[in-house]
Amino acid sequence: MAEEIIVAGWMDYEPADRDTMLGHLVEVGKRTRAAEPGCLDYAMTADPADERRIRVYERWVSQQALDEHFATAHIKEFRAATTGLTRVGVSMEVFSIGVSHSMR
C-alpha cells in the first residue's frame, strides 16, 4: 500500500491579490474533491493574522494521486486564471505518511 501524502504550508500574495487567489483556490478545491478520488482533503484558507497569507493543506492517497492532480484540466485552467496575480512568498512541504492514528 502506498504512503499517504500531505502537502502543507503557505503562500503569500500582494494584499490586493490574496482574496482573488483564494476565490480561485476555493473553486479548484471543489473541482478537485469532486473529480479526484485520490484527494482525501484539500483546504486553502486565509490567514486571519496576515493579509497576504493563504494557508495550504492537502491530503492524498499517494504521490501518484498528487502527480495526476497536476495534470488535470482544472489545474491547467486554474494556472491560466491566476497567471497575473503576484505571489511574494511561499513555503510548501510534502510529507509522506506511513502510519497515522486517531487522536481520540
Side-chain angles (χ1 to χ4, degrees):
M1 182 173 163
E3 293 181 326
E4 285 188 7
I5 300 296
I6 292 177
V7 177
W10 54 265
M11 300 179 291
D12 285 349
Y13 282 83
E14 288 293 334
D17 289 341
R18 184 190 71 173
D19 288 346
T20 301
M21 174 54 91
L22 197 53
H24 287 294
L25 287 166
V26 167
E27 181 58 32
V28 80
K30 287 178 187 176
R31 293 178 70 184
T32 297
R33 287 187 300 272
E36 297 182 58
C39 178
L40 301 172
D41 198 358
Y42 198 93
M44 312 298 173
T45 59
D47 187 320
D50 188 335
E51 67 183 2
R52 303 169 308 148
R53 186 151 294 173
I54 297 171
R55 297 273 174 195
V56 175
Y57 176 82
E58 302 174 30
R59 188 169 150 234
W60 297 87
V61 298
S62 66
Q63 182 64 50
Q64 180 179 345
L66 177 60
D67 293 344
E68 290 170 357
H69 166 68
F70 291 120
T72 62
H74 53 268
I75 287 297
K76 291 175 186 171
E77 292 166 11
F78 164 78
R79 287 181 174 155
T82 59
T83 299
L85 301 179
T86 304
R87 187 169 68 188
V88 295
V90 62
S91 176
M92 301 281 279
E93 295 188 62
V94 177
F95 301 89
S96 297
I97 308 300
V99 177
S100 65
H101 63 278
S102 174
M103 289 183 63
R104 295 182 182 230

